[in-house]
Amino acid sequence: MDNDEQTLATNELTTLPLDHNWYQKLASNFEIIQPYLDKLNTDELGLDDLKNKFDNISDKINIYETNMQAIVNILSNYDVPIAIVDGKVVETEEGE
């Protein structure tokens, strides 16, 4: 697709009567939109790659949180006064 400036006919389509000129403008809109729809269909936008990266980051965050909870649990077993509050490791008062 070239970078020629193409604009959709919008306000112009609300005028009556629905003559051949109106039809041509409507058809032109679809011609402008079609290449973008084709990109979506062939994933030229890289959406699959983006989803894979998001899933990878999400997995790493889950592993990090699991590891952090395990460390806090181990330290708590040795009476180290810490806990996870609002996703952060904080020092607690003895006996909490």
Side-chain angles (χ1 to χ4, degrees):
M1 184 170 149
D2 56 16
N3 288 337
D4 292 345
E5 220 177 290
Q6 297 178 332
T7 57
L8 298 176
T10 54
N11 295 346
E12 302 166 30
L13 295 177
T14 60
T15 59
L16 292 178
L18 302 179
D19 58 8
H20 185 68
N21 187 33
W22 183 91
Y23 168 80
Q24 284 179 320
K25 288 178 183 177
L26 184 62
S28 174
N29 282 352
F30 286 108
E31 289 172 3
I32 293 169
I33 294 169
Q34 188 62 52
Y36 298 102
L37 295 175
D38 292 342
K39 281 184 179 183
L40 289 175
N41 290 337
T42 61
D43 194 37
E44 283 183 37
L45 299 176
L47 298 178
D48 287 338
D49 186 45
L50 187 59
K51 182 186 180 312
N52 290 338
K53 287 179 181 178
F54 175 80
D55 289 344
N56 189 19
I57 290 170
S58 181
D59 290 344
K60 287 180 180 180
I61 289 171
N62 289 335
I63 291 168
Y64 169 80
E65 289 174 347
T66 301
N67 289 341
M68 188 58 64
Q69 185 64 56
I71 291 168
V72 168
N73 290 344
I74 291 168
L75 292 174
S76 294
N77 290 340
Y78 288 98
D79 295 325
V80 176
I82 62 171
I84 296 179
V85 178
D86 295 327
K88 298 178 182 176
V89 177
V90 296
E91 189 173 356
T92 60
E93 301 280 332
E94 290 251 354
E96 281 188 43

